[in-house]
Amino acid sequence: MKRYSAFAIAREALRDHTGWDRAWRKAQPKKRYDVIIVGAGGHGLATAYYLGKNFGITNVAILEKGWLGGGNTGRNTTIIRSNYLQDPSAAIYEKARSLYETMSQDLNYNVMFSPRGVMMLAQTEHEVRGYQRTAHANALQGVSTEFISPARVKELVPIMNINGPRYPVLGALWQARGGTARHDAVAWGYARACSDMGMDIIQQCAVTGVSQEGGKVTGVQTTKGDIACEKLGMVVAGHSGALADMGGFRLPLESVALQALVSEPIKPCMDVVVMANTVHGYMSQSDKGEMVIGGGTDAFNNYTQRGSFHHAEETVRALIETFPMLSRLKMLRQWGGIVDVTGDRSPIISKTPLEGCFINCGWGTGGFKAIPGSGWGFAELMARGQSPLTDQFGLNRFSEGRFIDESVAAGVAH
Ligand SMILES: Cc1cc2nc3c(=O)[nH]c(=O)nc-3n(C[C@H](O)[C@H](O)[C@H](O)COP(=O)(O)OP(=O)(O)OC[C@H]3O[C@@H](n4cnc5c(N)ncnc54)[C@H](O)[C@@H]3O)c2cc1C
């Protein structure tokens, strides 16, 4: 595949952009693969990429029932941070954040990583204590964060009202190298690199059943026929329960809609990401100028990928005390994705009771930031049967009562 470069752009400009290759090949399923990944979201594609790059496993198919990146990967608000409380979480999220730093060069694809800084507001005394504790934990984990004063918050975000009557800003947990990246570009960049390694990305191909013999996976049934494989990776976020059911096992998670919305575009007014978890809202400004706004999950389990009016109203109402300028903005559009939430708000990256079948799910409201770290660890688990990054995230933690409690870092926060 031809590399993208300034020279290539100049060359194509001179010949009316007629010489670009397709970013990835259109593939039809072969009879058999060494590895099948179900789900062409960021996590599935990253897994395939690191299987090829780190372990030389390239006889791989990635099966997607819709279009590549059309699940939560193309629906999220793109926040990247690694300021989690527990050690296993900090390790995998910081691995991911550090891979984001060089992802554009690594994939030869501009993912627009923007380390503009992420701020989690403390608006109650309880949050002050919680975030100070997280800052101390992060220091021990080698994750660079600090607890900052209200004055520093105001200096970083002048449009904020820090003296609200109900929820004044009492400080914030600040991660200066957190930020955002372009979500579609992350999926497209990995897809291009996977296709370049000879892997087959097969869209419009829903997995409808899992074939097994003697307790071992042998392949999948799909809308494009049966396909055999040695190893199977399920990476389908909100549909994980349905896939596990096909494999004959159950997962301790719930699927629920999470919504977001954007305002009309306005001039640059905020160059960091702000999360206000007590009031259930967070916001950043996109390169186009839209304010990208998100809130909490729906209060009931569902498989809806649309937005609902009351959610937009509640989220904006929650943020208006801290951001009075929002009352003057028109909202442009809203949407939803189906997130997969575990009881301890940590992911499941694990072998399953079905031999040869692995699962990566439970990223809930906050898995975009984890894509490269998750792909790195899951690929290692699938290739070698073990990975230091994923060891603690096994399914067995639920039967052993060994939870990785991230309800503070990952409940509303993304
Ligand atoms: C509104 C919203 C805001 C969010 N904000 C953030 C944020 O700011 N920061 C952050 O870190 N995270 C955020 N997230 C969470 C993040 O988007 C997800 O954790 C992450 O994208 C999950 O990626 P994935 O690859 O696991 O899943 P997905 O991208 O959903 O990919 C799974 C794929 O599997 C496919 N699939 C399902 N069933 C089948 C089948 N039977 N056969 C074949 N294919 C199948 C689906 O079509 C889908 O494309 C947000 C999520 C939402 C919805």
Side-chain angles (χ1 to χ4, degrees):
M1 180 165 300
K2 287 185 199 138
R3 280 185 66 76
Y4 292 153
S5 65
F7 173 73
I9 292 172
R11 185 192 61 217
E12 290 306 321
L14 291 177
R15 56 181 192 193
D16 240 359
H17 295 280
T18 51
W20 294 116
D21 292 331
R22 276 182 175 277
W24 54 88
R25 277 178 304 109
K26 203 171 174 188
Q28 289 304 319
K30 293 193 284 198
K31 287 253 169 298
R32 190 191 164 282
Y33 292 91
D34 291 343
V35 175
I36 287 179
I37 302 288
V38 190
H43 288 262
L45 290 162
T47 303
Y49 174 70
Y50 292 114
L51 276 171
K53 184 176 179 204
N54 294 353
F55 302 100
I57 301 171
T58 55
N59 184 18
V60 176
I62 305 133
L63 309 181
E64 168 55 50
K65 73 170 178 168
W67 69 96
L68 188 159
N72 293 341
T73 297
R75 294 163 188 270
N76 68 80
T77 44
T78 77
I79 297 172
I80 296 170
R81 61 186 175 88
S82 58
N83 53 355
Y84 284 70
L85 179 63
Q86 310 291 352
D87 292 350
S89 325
I92 195 162
Y93 286 104
E94 179 59 13
K95 173 75 181 172
R97 201 205 56 75
S98 65
L99 287 168
Y100 267 115
E101 296 259 5
T102 52
M103 189 184 281
S104 295
Q105 292 77 10
D106 186 25
L107 297 179
N108 180 229
Y109 200 96
N110 186 3
V111 301
M112 300 182 204
F113 177 56
S114 164
R116 59 183 71 178
V118 172
M119 177 186 291
M120 297 171 90
L121 299 181
Q123 293 181 288
T124 62
E125 288 298 337
H126 174 79
E127 270 185 317
V128 171
R129 281 194 299 275
Y131 288 145
Q132 283 176 341
R133 180 183 175 212
T134 304
H136 290 311
N138 289 163
L140 293 171
Q141 293 150 348
V143 175
S144 185
T145 63
E146 58 179 316
F147 189 80
I148 58 174
S149 68
R152 176 86 175 116
V153 170
K154 181 75 181 167
E155 193 187 333
L156 285 162
V157 191
I159 60 168
M160 201 188 292
N161 169 24
I162 60 166
N163 299 313
R166 274 192 317 163
Y167 294 111
V169 173
L170 307 174
L173 182 63
W174 171 240
Q175 183 167 25
R177 292 301 291 180
T180 59
R182 173 79 198 273
H183 48 13
D184 301 315
V186 171
W188 297 337
Y190 276 125
R192 178 169 169 267
C194 288
S195 180
D196 193 31
M197 286 190 273
M199 298 180 184
D200 288 345
I201 301 168
I202 303 159
Q203 303 184 71
Q204 308 291 326
C205 179
V207 170
T208 52
V210 173
S211 314
Q212 44 182 299
E213 224 176 272
K216 187 178 180 323
V217 74
T218 55
V220 289
Q221 296 130 42
T222 79
T223 47
K224 294 196 174 183
D226 293 357
I227 315 174
C229 67
E230 201 59 35
K231 289 181 182 172
L232 177 65
M234 298 174 170
V235 202
V236 293
H239 295 92
S240 298
L243 255 290
D245 199 38
M246 295 176 201
F249 56 95
R250 296 191 67 193
L251 294 172
L253 52 76
E254 298 178 342
S255 291
V256 60
L258 176 66
Q259 302 183 27
L261 62 150
V262 292
S263 74
E264 60 187 331
I266 53 173
K267 285 185 179 170
C269 64
M270 193 174 87
D271 61 359
V272 303
V273 181
V274 179
M275 316 184 79
N277 297 332
T278 289
V279 298
H280 274 207
Y282 62 94
M283 193 161 75
S284 64
Q285 189 167 22
S286 74
D287 295 344
K288 284 186 282 183
E290 300 160 338
M291 302 310 288
V292 182
I293 302 169
T297 51
D298 281 5
F300 49 92
N301 294 356
N302 63 85
Y303 280 86
T304 315
Q305 285 185 306
R306 280 194 303 252
S308 55
F309 180 71
H310 80 277
H311 222 284
E313 192 185 15
E314 273 168 26
T315 305
V316 173
R317 188 173 54 203
L319 286 170
I320 271 183
E321 177 181 318
T322 316
F323 294 96
M325 48 81 81
L326 276 183
S327 66
R328 315 274 297 263
L329 283 185
K330 294 188 182 69
M331 295 302 146
L332 204 61
R333 59 198 159 84
Q334 61 178 141
W335 65 92
I338 311 163
V339 297
D340 42 338
V341 183
T342 60
D344 62 1
R345 301 295 188 265
S346 289
I348 298 167
I349 315 170
S350 183
K351 294 179 180 171
T352 70
L354 180 61
E355 199 187 326
C357 175
F358 300 77
I359 190 140
N360 183 348
C361 64
W363 291 99
T365 60
F368 173 70
K369 66 179 70 62
I371 284 172
S374 151
W376 184 288
F378 195 46
E380 187 170 21
L381 177 67
M382 289 191 75
R384 288 195 175 145
Q386 192 266 337
S387 164
L389 270 186
T390 65
D391 272 351
Q392 303 295 315
F393 294 104
L395 263 172
N396 53 358
R397 77 175 187 272
F398 296 97
S399 52
E400 291 167 5
R402 196 174 33 77
F403 303 122
I404 305 170
D405 183 0
E406 288 293 0
S407 43
V408 172
V412 177
H414 307 295

